[in-house]
Amino acid sequence: MIARRAFLAASAALAAFPRAAFAAVSRLALTGSFEQGSLVLGKVDAGSRIAIDGTMVDVSPAGDFAFGFAYDQKKPCVIAARFTDETRETRIVQPVARQYEIQRITGLPEKFVTLPPEVLERRKREVAMIAAAHARDSDMEWFSEKFDWPVAGIISGTFGSQRILNGKAMAPHFGVDIAARAGTPIAAPAPARVALAGPDFYLEGGLTILDHGHGVTTSYLHQSRQAVKAGDNVVRGQVIGEVGMTGRATGPHLHWGLNWFQIRLDPSRSARTPAPARA
Ligand SMILES: [Zn+2]
């Protein structure tokens, strides 16, 4: 009680000298769900510099920047800001731990569980193309806009699920699956430039990767038809393709992915529109 009264008194004193008060107030704003596997958006005064865990990240002319927590990250991120007046501020943010679902699917054809040896070379090339799209560090500023869900449907798979296929533990599911009829249009969730668009990736099928800038990309898998090509600029809501079941898919759905560079994130945590219903 005494501490609270002292705090209120101090606040009142600072309010009387607003200029002095600003020095004590944070100049580093962070927004997001702060969970494992989520994107964090940051805002500082224009011209400030930011390092995440000791690595500089781009800050837009408006003062926006982004970073992500890995899906299994247990350590905090250290965000260090250096403002134009050479003052500094450091923030240590511990990601909130998530409990991921376990999804067991049995009776799948073996091609869903292991890669046949004859596709390994092809797969290596595809993985390199996808990694290159995720590595882009472009200066577009669309990353700081929240996403609209790209398709209407039913959520049939969540981010981070531990998949056990035919009894074999697979890599976690790094995206959100939205089941919808084949041919359902897929809309860009925010403005972007198309980083990669190809109709026939071995696992992803018809794949489009959208670059929103500063390492933030979103991915669209298993499309039956694509309406954009690499280098195109798209506006929010523009149809980029159609839902399908190309690549490794057991039924028509959109697998929607989000990355900060190579770190895979949960796009559902960065959406501004309500999520579709769960299956
Ligand atoms: Zn999926």
Side-chain angles (χ1 to χ4, degrees), residues 122 186 196-209 219-226 240-249 253-255:
R122 168 188 173 185
I186 299 164
L196 177 68
D200 188 25
F201 285 77
Y202 184 76
L203 298 178
E204 296 83 0
L207 167 68
T208 303
I209 298 179
S219 308
Y220 305 82
L221 280 65
H222 313 304
Q223 297 171 79
S224 59
R225 196 183 75 84
Q226 291 171 295
I240 59 165
E242 291 176 1
V243 171
M245 56 176 293
T246 54
R248 186 182 276 179
H253 73 280
L254 172 67
H255 172 111

Coordinates of all heavy atoms in Angstrom, one line a residue, residues 122 186 196-209 219-226 240-249 253-255:
R122 N 16.1 -33.5 -56.4 CA 15.1 -32.5 -56.7 C 14.7 -31.7 -55.4 O 14.6 -30.5 -55.4 CB 13.9 -33.2 -57.3 CG 12.6 -32.3 -57.4 CD 11.4 -33.1 -57.8 NE 10.2 -32.3 -57.7 CZ 9.0 -32.7 -57.8 NH1 8.8 -34.0 -58.2 NH2 8.0 -31.9 -57.7
I186 N -7.7 -17.7 -52.9 CA -6.8 -17.3 -51.8 C -6.4 -15.8 -51.9 O -5.9 -15.4 -53.0 CB -5.5 -18.2 -51.9 CG1 -5.8 -19.7 -51.7 CG2 -4.5 -17.7 -50.8 CD1 -4.6 -20.6 -52.2
L196 N 8.4 -15.9 -54.6 CA 8.6 -17.3 -55.3 C 7.2 -17.7 -55.6 O 6.3 -17.6 -54.8 CB 9.3 -18.2 -54.3 CG 9.5 -19.7 -54.8 CD1 10.5 -19.8 -55.9 CD2 9.9 -20.5 -53.6
A197 N 7.0 -18.3 -56.9 CA 5.8 -18.9 -57.3 C 6.1 -20.0 -58.2 O 6.7 -19.8 -59.3 CB 4.8 -17.9 -57.9
G198 N 5.8 -21.3 -57.8 CA 6.0 -22.4 -58.7 C 4.9 -23.4 -58.5 O 4.4 -23.6 -57.4
P199 N 4.5 -24.1 -59.6 CA 3.3 -25.0 -59.5 C 3.6 -26.4 -59.0 O 2.7 -27.1 -58.7 CB 2.9 -25.0 -61.0 CG 4.2 -24.9 -61.7 CD 5.1 -24.0 -60.9
D200 N 4.9 -26.8 -58.9 CA 5.1 -28.2 -58.7 C 6.3 -28.5 -57.7 O 7.3 -29.1 -58.1 CB 5.3 -28.9 -60.1 CG 5.4 -30.4 -60.0 OD1 4.8 -31.0 -59.0 OD2 6.0 -31.0 -60.8
F201 N 6.2 -28.1 -56.5 CA 7.2 -28.5 -55.5 C 6.7 -29.9 -54.9 O 5.5 -30.1 -54.8 CB 7.2 -27.4 -54.4 CG 8.0 -26.2 -54.8 CD1 7.4 -25.3 -55.6 CD2 9.3 -26.0 -54.4 CE1 8.1 -24.1 -56.0 CE2 10.0 -24.9 -54.8 CZ 9.4 -23.9 -55.6
Y202 N 7.7 -30.7 -54.6 CA 7.4 -32.1 -54.3 C 6.5 -32.2 -53.1 O 5.5 -32.9 -53.2 CB 8.7 -32.9 -54.0 CG 8.4 -34.3 -53.8 CD1 8.1 -35.2 -54.8 CD2 8.4 -34.9 -52.5 CE1 7.8 -36.5 -54.6 CE2 8.1 -36.2 -52.3 CZ 7.8 -37.0 -53.3 OH 7.5 -38.3 -53.1
L203 N 6.7 -31.5 -52.0 CA 5.9 -31.5 -50.8 C 4.8 -30.4 -50.9 O 3.7 -30.7 -50.5 CB 6.7 -31.4 -49.6 CG 7.7 -32.5 -49.3 CD1 8.5 -32.2 -48.0 CD2 7.1 -33.9 -49.2
E204 N 5.2 -29.3 -51.3 CA 4.3 -28.1 -51.2 C 3.4 -28.0 -52.3 O 2.4 -27.2 -52.2 CB 5.2 -26.8 -51.1 CG 6.1 -26.7 -49.9 CD 7.4 -27.4 -50.1 OE1 7.7 -28.1 -51.1 OE2 8.2 -27.4 -49.1
G205 N 3.6 -28.7 -53.4 CA 2.8 -28.5 -54.6 C 2.9 -27.1 -55.2 O 4.0 -26.6 -55.3
G206 N 1.7 -26.5 -55.5 CA 1.7 -25.2 -56.0 C 2.0 -24.2 -54.8 O 1.2 -24.1 -53.9
L207 N 3.2 -23.6 -54.9 CA 3.7 -22.8 -53.8 C 3.9 -21.4 -54.2 O 4.5 -21.1 -55.2 CB 5.0 -23.4 -53.3 CG 5.8 -22.6 -52.3 CD1 5.1 -22.4 -51.0 CD2 7.2 -23.2 -52.1
T208 N 3.4 -20.5 -53.3 CA 3.7 -19.0 -53.5 C 4.3 -18.5 -52.2 O 3.7 -18.9 -51.1 CB 2.4 -18.2 -53.8 OG1 1.9 -18.8 -55.0 CG2 2.7 -16.8 -54.1
I209 N 5.3 -17.7 -52.2 CA 5.9 -17.1 -51.0 C 5.8 -15.6 -51.3 O 6.3 -15.1 -52.3 CB 7.3 -17.5 -50.7 CG1 7.3 -19.0 -50.4 CG2 7.9 -16.7 -49.5 CD1 8.7 -19.6 -50.1
S219 N 3.6 -18.0 -46.7 CA 3.7 -19.0 -47.7 C 2.3 -19.7 -47.9 O 1.5 -19.8 -47.0 CB 4.6 -20.2 -47.3 OG 5.9 -19.6 -46.9
Y220 N 2.0 -20.1 -49.1 CA 0.7 -20.7 -49.5 C 1.0 -22.0 -50.3 O 1.6 -21.9 -51.4 CB 0.0 -19.6 -50.4 CG -0.1 -18.3 -49.6 CD1 1.0 -17.4 -49.6 CD2 -1.2 -18.1 -48.8 CE1 1.0 -16.3 -48.8 CE2 -1.2 -16.9 -48.0 CZ -0.1 -16.1 -48.0 OH -0.1 -15.0 -47.2
L221 N 0.6 -23.1 -49.7 CA 1.0 -24.4 -50.3 C -0.2 -25.1 -50.8 O -1.4 -24.8 -50.5 CB 1.6 -25.3 -49.2 CG 3.0 -25.0 -48.8 CD1 3.3 -23.7 -48.2 CD2 3.5 -26.1 -47.8
H222 N 0.1 -26.1 -51.7 CA -0.9 -27.0 -52.3 C -1.9 -26.4 -53.2 O -3.0 -27.0 -53.4 CB -1.7 -27.8 -51.1 CG -0.8 -28.3 -50.1 ND1 0.3 -29.2 -50.3 CD2 -0.8 -28.1 -48.7 CE1 0.9 -29.5 -49.2 NE2 0.3 -28.8 -48.2
Q223 N -1.6 -25.3 -53.8 CA -2.5 -24.6 -54.7 C -2.8 -25.3 -56.0 O -1.8 -25.9 -56.6 CB -2.0 -23.2 -55.0 CG -1.9 -22.3 -53.8 CD -1.2 -21.0 -54.2 OE1 -1.7 -20.1 -54.8 NE2 0.1 -20.9 -53.9
S224 N -4.0 -25.3 -56.4 CA -4.3 -25.9 -57.7 C -4.1 -25.0 -58.9 O -3.9 -25.4 -60.0 CB -5.8 -26.3 -57.7 OG -6.7 -25.2 -57.5
R225 N -4.1 -23.7 -58.6 CA -3.9 -22.7 -59.6 C -3.2 -21.4 -59.0 O -3.5 -21.1 -57.8 CB -5.2 -22.2 -60.2 CG -5.1 -21.5 -61.6 CD -6.5 -21.1 -62.1 NE -7.0 -19.9 -61.3 CZ -6.7 -18.6 -61.6 NH1 -5.9 -18.3 -62.6 NH2 -7.2 -17.7 -60.8
Q226 N -2.3 -20.8 -59.7 CA -1.6 -19.6 -59.2 C -1.9 -18.4 -60.1 O -2.0 -18.6 -61.3 CB -0.1 -19.9 -59.1 CG 0.2 -20.9 -58.0 CD 1.6 -21.4 -58.0 OE1 2.1 -22.0 -59.0 NE2 2.3 -21.1 -57.0
I240 N -4.4 -14.5 -55.2 CA -3.0 -14.9 -55.6 C -3.1 -16.4 -56.1 O -2.1 -16.8 -56.8 CB -2.0 -14.8 -54.5 CG1 -2.4 -15.7 -53.2 CG2 -1.8 -13.4 -54.0 CD1 -1.3 -15.9 -52.3
G241 N -4.2 -17.1 -55.9 CA -4.3 -18.5 -56.4 C -5.5 -19.1 -55.8 O -6.4 -18.4 -55.3
E242 N -5.6 -20.4 -56.0 CA -6.7 -21.2 -55.6 C -6.3 -22.4 -54.7 O -5.3 -23.0 -54.9 CB -7.5 -21.7 -56.8 CG -8.2 -20.6 -57.5 CD -8.9 -21.1 -58.8 OE1 -8.9 -22.3 -59.1 OE2 -9.4 -20.2 -59.5
V243 N -7.2 -22.7 -53.8 CA -7.0 -23.9 -52.9 C -6.9 -25.2 -53.7 O -7.7 -25.3 -54.7 CB -8.1 -24.0 -51.8 CG1 -8.0 -25.3 -51.0 CG2 -8.0 -22.8 -50.9
G244 N -6.0 -26.1 -53.4 CA -5.9 -27.4 -54.1 C -5.3 -28.4 -53.1 O -5.3 -28.2 -51.9
M245 N -4.9 -29.5 -53.7 CA -4.3 -30.6 -52.9 C -3.0 -31.1 -53.6 O -2.7 -32.3 -53.6 CB -5.3 -31.7 -52.5 CG -6.0 -32.3 -53.7 SD -7.0 -33.7 -53.1 CE -5.8 -34.9 -52.5
T246 N -2.3 -30.2 -54.3 CA -1.1 -30.6 -55.0 C 0.0 -30.8 -54.0 O -0.1 -30.3 -52.8 CB -0.7 -29.5 -56.0 OG1 -0.6 -28.2 -55.3 CG2 -1.7 -29.3 -57.1
G247 N 1.1 -31.5 -54.3 CA 2.1 -31.9 -53.4 C 1.6 -32.9 -52.4 O 0.8 -33.7 -52.8
R248 N 2.2 -32.9 -51.2 CA 1.8 -33.9 -50.2 C 0.6 -33.4 -49.4 O 0.8 -32.6 -48.5 CB 3.0 -34.2 -49.3 CG 2.7 -35.3 -48.3 CD 3.9 -35.6 -47.4 NE 4.9 -36.4 -48.1 CZ 6.0 -36.7 -47.5 NH1 6.3 -36.3 -46.3 NH2 6.9 -37.5 -48.1
A249 N -0.6 -33.8 -49.8 CA -1.8 -33.3 -49.1 C -2.8 -34.4 -49.2 O -2.9 -35.1 -50.3 CB -2.4 -32.1 -49.8
H253 N -6.8 -28.2 -49.1 CA -6.6 -27.2 -48.0 C -5.5 -26.2 -48.4 O -4.7 -26.5 -49.2 CB -6.3 -27.9 -46.7 CG -4.9 -28.5 -46.6 ND1 -4.5 -29.7 -47.2 CD2 -3.8 -28.0 -46.0 CE1 -3.3 -29.9 -46.9 NE2 -2.8 -28.9 -46.2
L254 N -5.5 -25.1 -47.7 CA -4.4 -24.2 -47.8 C -3.5 -24.3 -46.5 O -4.0 -24.3 -45.4 CB -4.9 -22.7 -47.9 CG -3.8 -21.7 -47.8 CD1 -2.9 -21.7 -49.0 CD2 -4.3 -20.3 -47.6
H255 N -2.3 -24.6 -46.8 CA -1.3 -24.5 -45.7 C -0.7 -23.1 -45.7 O -0.1 -22.7 -46.7 CB -0.2 -25.6 -45.8 CG 0.9 -25.5 -44.8 ND1 1.1 -26.4 -43.8 CD2 1.9 -24.5 -44.7 CE1 2.2 -26.0 -43.1 NE2 2.7 -24.9 -43.6

